[in-house]
Amino acid sequence: MAGGLRRLSAGLPAGLAAGALALLVLGTLGAVARQAGGFGGLRGSDLGALRFTLMQAGASALISVALAVPLARAIARRRWPGRQAFVTALGAPFLMPVIVAVMALIAVFGRSGALNRGLDALGLPTLSIYGPQGVVLAHVFLNLPFAARMILQGWATIPAERIRLARSLGFGPAEIARHLERPMLRAVLPGAVLAVFLVCLTSFAVAMTLGGGPRATTLELAIYQAFRFDFDPGRAASLGLLQVALCLAALAAAARVARPEPLGAGLEQGRALPAPGGWRRLGDGLAIALATLFLLAPLAAVTARGLAGLADLPPGIWPAAARSLWVAVGSGVLTLVLALPLALGVARGGRGLELAGMLPLVASPLVLGTGLFLLLRPLAAPADLALPVTLAVNAALSVPFALRILIPPARQLRDDYGRLAAALDLRGLARLRLLVLPRLARPLGFAGGVAAAFSMGDLGVIALFAAPDRATLPFYLYGLMGSYRLDAAAAAATLLVALTFALFWAFDQGGRRASA
Amino acid sequence: MKTPLMLAGLLIATSAVADETPVFTVYAPDYFASDWGPGPAIEAGFEKTCGCDLRFVTGDLLPRLMLEGATTEADAVIGLNTDVTARARATGLFAPHGQDTSALTLPIAWSDDIFLPFNWGETAFVYDETRLANPPKSFAELLEAPDDLKIVIQDPRSSISGLALLLWVKAVYGDEAPAAWAKLAPKVLTVTKGWSESYGLFSEGEADMVMSYTTSPAYHIIAEGDTTKHAAIFPEGHYFMTELAARIATSDQPELGQAFMAYIMSDDFQGMIATANWSYPARFTPESLPEGFRTLPRPARTLFYSETEAEALRRPALDEWLAAFGG
């Protein structure tokens, strides 16, 4: 009886978080469907959108993760000056607002970008970024760093005892790969593929700008069309439901493939693997150099483009930046409050919790915004809710990323300390303070940083709630673009990237400090 | 709420709650909100005389109205486009504007008693003479241009200017529109969500021409002193676009609504449209236009579909467009 109560109290925060997320995603879908008088039928073109969506998301996920593995391994087993800064900078593309990322890619890979000018000067044929290849390139650019960080964390969770054992047994790189790395990858990769796949499933702005035309119609664009062009919210709700179904199917598939293979208990993590020499050294160096070039060149290009205009930014941008910052910090904290109990719950074996936690990833921002608008309008003036709704929705949308970051270390924590904690009867807040927070500080900092950065760049759901005096920085940037002020927009993008990155760095460092 | 309460109090001295300035809510597109858009000037101008607090609520104008129906808190709307007014009118939410439309100087006749135009422009492909020395001189020349002439356009499913382009091609080519799109499609570099992304791509040198407006060069002339951007003027004609304002019938402040409609027709309002909105005001004399606008070339023909025609055409025209791209 007492044991049951105890389990209930441990599961309560996780249950509440899962319930809130499921309610948000499914409740808004229901609200839209109710407004429309039911779910509407799909059009033939929606099937084409489904096909393209699956294809681009699948290709983007597989390529991102395939490239992330050698990169993560190179980082895991090499030490060089500035490695830490490199790992932090690696997160930049993922943390960039999509609209800025697209500008950045075009500066390098566009028709008049650096790459094609170089090819042209050498008399070589130029490459086009516009088309399905451009969509996949952009998604890899955005998601490769996140995949690499997730996988890098897998390397960090290999217990130091195992690495010492491998050293003393004289394991070469091949044996280490077979006995330590492959089991770890088997546990980590399906989650990484799943996360990238789901992110790309709801892609909209990237697919549209770089897609090259209506062939590149995603489900999210079909939803947009249903709302905007056809004024058919019923069909939009059906398409939203289809996205949720895809999420469930992808989760089920990932669960079948993943094999949480604990490498056993360990007292210490994050010890460097032996760094093999020879061609492997060359290969690792190449992986790191290419990744730097691919991920940071566009970032440098877009930042440089805006530097000149920074001094001439209109004064209205500063309140917008301040608004964005506090929404982002709030959203980062709220994400952790939701994601930590969920991650601990998943580590205890709660599959349903993981499902609820991943759902927001495929919630169509348009359906979410419209549903919330319908649900909240009777309660308060939408304009007054603009920032709280933005904060809450951004937090909800960040939970899936936070979960992917937190679940593997939470499992590890349970494997390593679960029995000891039970023997000591360590639970509740004491367990949180003495065991969970110190051991998970690093991933918590990273997850909070990702969530805050994500919120910083988001412009998604607030269209129906927007009020002129509550514009966030991305909204402001978009306003500049919409009124011919492209130099100011470029400067705003530079500011946005700088602030986003500073915020991410602060969270990430906070986690490192707390764990050290 | 920037106007002092005192002024408001003076103006509504008869009211029992004289110290409570009535709030007049106007739904508008996003661009109204920005510091350099027409919103702040309109707000200041109208509040000078209305004794009210004008509040813009910006965002997805028509979808929001359709979701809210009769329970809307809007007293008026501004920024609707003719190509969607059939749907707006069908909601029955609007009341007559009560203004004399004979004073309007649109290139087409206007007698609608519900929707009041406040600006207008025409669709056009804009180019930079330093990058495109020999622009096509007609729509026909554009279609026959080599496929390495790259244009960037907006998606009609998400963008009002994208929809205007569909109707433009339909108005020029009629039943031959699918063949015209088949020739145009290989020149389309990409199709963006909205006008901003397209214009950004064009400005970064990605495309030779961008689907925009005949008035776009005025921004570059006036704000940047740059005279290298031009709208290619086609003898086949250019499609007319106008933005409209209307009163909400269920508003409990019809007098303020009337006053707002009258304000839209005033010199004060019309005088600032050109440089706040980079379009022609709905009522102007050549002298009242800023210099940069006076010299803009005007198309010889203006093409326009009534809202009924546009409503009937949009779906089949979209299907033709999608088919041309193999989408």
Side-chain angles (χ1 to χ4, degrees), chain B residues 288-317:
Chain B
S288 70
L289 277 182
E291 183 66 35
F293 274 85
R294 283 183 228 167
T295 48
L296 290 181
R298 287 267 304 116
R301 279 188 74 191
T302 300
L303 307 167
F304 183 57
Y305 284 118
S306 72
E307 65 181 40
T308 329
E309 292 168 314
E311 185 59 34
L313 280 172
R314 62 207 294 274
R315 191 75 242 183

Side-chain angles (χ1 to χ4, degrees), chain A residues 29-429:
Chain A
L29 254 178
V32 171
R34 197 187 60 181
Q35 167 85 11
F39 289 92
L42 300 180
R43 290 169 53 92
S45 60
D46 295 333
L47 285 181
L50 175 65
R51 204 166 38 235
F52 176 76
T53 304
L54 287 175
M55 192 206 75
Q56 61 82 8
S60 303
L62 291 177
I63 295 173
S64 297
V65 172
L67 294 177
V69 170
L71 175 62
R73 181 163 62 182
I75 299 170
R77 64 187 183 189
R78 303 289 164 191
R79 291 293 177 271
W80 71 96
R83 175 178 177 274
Q84 198 48 60
F86 174 78
V87 173
T88 308
L90 200 59
F94 180 72
L95 306 172
M96 256 192 250
V98 168
I99 187 169
V100 180
V102 171
M103 286 160 74
L105 282 171
I106 285 169
V108 173
F109 297 97
R111 211 167 147 240
S112 56
L115 178 71
N116 278 328
R117 272 199 311 244
L119 288 174
D120 201 39
L122 296 173
L124 296 167
T126 55
L127 305 167
S128 175
I129 195 181
Y130 301 98
Q133 73 281 10
V135 176
V136 173
L137 176 85
H139 285 157
V140 171
F141 172 73
L142 287 166
N143 294 300
L144 167 62
F146 183 62
R149 283 291 296 256
M150 275 193 286
I151 297 166
L152 188 59
Q153 253 181 0
W155 255 286
T157 53
I158 298 178
E161 290 83 347
R162 288 296 171 116
I163 295 172
R164 271 199 291 270
L165 184 63
R167 272 182 195 276
S168 59
L169 290 175
F171 274 14
E175 287 82 21
I176 288 182
R178 187 166 50 227
H179 294 290
L180 295 181
E181 294 176 330
R182 269 183 223 148
M184 180 277 293
L185 288 175
R186 185 76 199 258
V188 173
L189 289 190
V193 172
L194 175 72
V196 179
F197 177 80
L198 292 181
V199 177
C200 298
L201 216 51
T202 50
S203 173
F204 177 45
V206 166
M208 266 197 102
T209 311
L210 297 177
R215 240 185 237 272
T217 294
T218 59
L219 276 180
E220 190 63 23
L221 174 56
I223 292 179
Y224 208 89
Q225 177 185 352
F227 270 119
R228 279 290 187 82
F229 191 88
D230 301 322
F231 295 99
D232 185 356
R235 203 170 112 240
S238 300
L239 289 163
L241 205 59
L242 187 57
Q243 279 185 330
V244 172
L246 285 179
C247 174
L248 299 187
L251 267 173
R256 281 185 77 92
V257 179
R259 195 185 296 156
E261 171 82 36
L263 285 164
L267 292 172
E268 191 194 345
Q269 296 171 356
R271 173 165 285 259
L273 285 165
W279 66 269
R280 290 193 174 84
R281 190 182 161 83
L282 197 70
D284 285 353
L286 205 61
I288 290 167
L290 285 178
T292 311
L293 199 64
F294 173 54
L295 297 173
L296 299 187
L299 179 71
V302 79
T303 315
R305 161 88 170 82
L307 276 181
L310 272 182
D312 301 326
L313 275 173
I317 200 164
W318 303 111
R323 253 174 250 128
S324 277
L325 273 176
W326 80 251
V327 167
V329 170
S331 170
V333 172
L334 182 58
T335 301
L336 295 184
V337 170
L338 290 168
L340 180 61
L342 281 175
L344 297 174
V346 172
R348 282 194 299 270
R351 272 254 165 253
L353 295 177
E354 184 172 1
L355 185 65
M358 294 309 276
L359 260 187
L361 212 46
V362 289
S364 152
L366 207 60
V367 173
L368 206 60
T370 309
L372 276 175
F373 176 78
L374 291 169
L375 290 172
L376 296 176
R377 208 174 77 85
L379 307 177
D384 295 333
L385 295 174
L387 294 182
V389 163
T390 309
L391 191 156
V393 168
N394 285 345
L397 295 180
S398 303
V399 165
F401 302 107
L403 274 187
R404 294 269 64 93
I405 296 164
L406 292 173
I407 288 176
R411 284 209 175 106
Q412 184 88 31
L413 182 75
R414 187 169 171 78
D415 290 341
D416 291 353
Y417 292 96
R419 277 177 301 244
L420 179 64
L424 293 172
D425 201 22
L426 186 65
R427 56 199 162 77
L429 283 177

Side-chain angles (χ1 to χ4, degrees), chain A residues 99 320 323-324 390 456-468 470-482 492 496, chain B residues 29-31 33-34 36 58-60:
Chain A
I99 187 169
R323 253 174 250 128
S324 277
T390 309
M456 206 57 204
D458 187 65
L459 136 124
V461 295
I462 60 167
L464 285 167
F465 292 91
R470 289 180 184 82
T472 54
L473 191 49
F475 219 78
Y476 199 87
L477 191 164
Y478 208 76
L480 285 166
M481 274 186 81
L496 183 54
Chain B
D30 280 325
Y31 75 83
S34 65
W36 41 88
T58 50
D60 297 340

